[in-house]
Every structure is written in C-alpha cells, then in structure tokens.
Amino acid sequence: LRNQKVPASAITLSTAGARVTSATQIEAGVGADKVSLPAYCKVLGSIAAADPTAPPIQFELDLPGTWNKKLLMLGGGGFNGTVPNTAGNVPAGPYDRPVPLARGYAVVGSDSGHQAPKTPQAPLKPGMDASFALNAEALRNYTGEALKKVHDAALHLIRMRYGVRPDKAYFAGGSTGGREALEVVQRWPDDWDGAIAW
C-alpha cells in the first residue's frame, strides 16, 4: 500500500483525493496500552482538501493479517485535531476482552481534518483549539464531512489490501466521538451496520 493513491472519484464528498504516506508492517506483540495485538499493517494517509487553503485530513487505518471482514471507525474527542488510538479499545470498552484490532477488525480513525497545535506556546490544550473553524472546509470536515471522506478512503484501501469490501461496518465514539457516531448513522445510514455512541 506504500505510496498508493485514492482517487477523488472514490470519495463521495469533494476532495482532491488521498494518498498513503506510510505503510508499516507491525509484528504481533504487546501494544502501548499493554494489550496483545496481532500482526498488522499500520497505514497512515492524508486526504487533500478541495480548498487548497484548508488543512488535510490525516488518518490511520490498521489492517490485521487475519481479518474478520469487519470495519470499525473510531471517533475523536474535544475539537479533535489528533488521530485516535486505532490499536486501542472502544470508549468505555471492556478491559478483560481483546481490543477490536486483536479481534480481527480493520480499524480507522482521523483527526477530522485539522491538526491540533503541539507546541508549548499553544494557548490551549490539544483538542481544545477551534481556530481551524475559520476555514469553511475545515469546519465542514469537523462537523461531519471528514467522517464520510475517511470512510470512503478506508474502503478503497481495504479493497486494495484484501480484494473485497467489509461485510459489516461499525462506528464507536464517546464525547465528540459519540456525536460523530450519531451523525454517521443519520447522514450516511447505508454505510453503517451499527454504532456505539457514548
């Protein structure tokens, strides 16, 4: 998947297409949250905005070596701006069960179309800076459009990797991610088989 492109025509909403910025094979082992993870391909990508002055949507798609033919998208928090931990658990998920990636789900998440400041000089904590909203496309991405764009890009890359679409697709999120969960099932119900809105 390295250097692969997703044409704008594969994404329903207006973009300038997407590209894979890196694809790294991760061996089975223990993840950052001390949970067991299978071998998987960690795909980082970027969806270019239709407006050249708008920031891109950064996303991560984790593709397990043994796939259960299901997709799980994780929502964000606060004003987003960072990619959620796709190798982690769903919000308020059980700690005595394997995380979705370990159960064979392809898992995707995004920063919703803007990048939170990461400098010590930033006046607000990451996820609480709303200055991105001064750009109309960045605001539309945050208020929902990034969810559809990332979903469509993920489907394209999943078909490239496994040769088929997922049999089922789910969304899970808490706080802002809970709003996003409700939004995807209302705005694009044909894309989703269920959601956890916490």
Side-chain angles (χ1 to χ4, degrees), residues 12-185:
T12 304
L13 301 177
S14 181
T15 72
R19 65 184 178 87
V20 172
T21 57
S22 72
T24 306
Q25 184 63 33
I26 308 295
E27 297 305 319
V30 177
D33 293 337
K34 297 189 174 19
V35 295
S36 295
L37 296 174
Y40 68 99
C41 182
K42 176 180 179 174
V43 178
L44 301 180
S46 181
I47 302 173
D51 172 1
T53 66
I57 302 167
Q58 306 293 346
F59 67 91
E60 180 175 333
L61 172 64
D62 293 343
L63 301 169
T66 303
W67 183 42
N68 66 9
K69 296 190 177 175
K70 296 176 185 174
L71 169 66
L72 174 67
M73 186 171 188
L74 296 177
F79 289 135
N80 291 337
T82 59
V83 177
N85 178 13
T86 51
N89 211 342
V90 296
Y95 290 100
D96 60 345
R97 306 285 297 275
V99 297
L101 182 60
R103 296 195 325 236
Y105 285 83
V107 185
V108 67
S110 84
D111 63 7
S112 83
H114 64 277
Q115 295 72 52
K118 294 182 176 137
T119 65
Q121 295 78 24
L124 299 170
K125 293 180 182 177
M128 296 308 291
D129 183 332
S131 61
F132 67 88
L134 296 172
N135 179 282
E137 186 169 353
L139 179 58
R140 286 195 310 274
N141 283 335
Y142 169 72
T143 58
E145 288 191 5
L147 303 169
K148 175 62 172 166
K149 294 171 183 179
V150 171
H151 168 272
D152 292 356
L155 285 189
H156 187 84
L157 294 170
I158 285 170
R159 280 194 300 265
M160 290 179 78
R161 166 62 179 90
Y162 300 114
V164 295
R165 289 175 55 103
D167 290 339
K168 300 284 184 186
Y170 303 103
F171 192 101
S175 188
T176 289
R179 170 190 58 80
E180 292 171 338
L182 295 173
E183 188 157 10
V184 296
V185 297

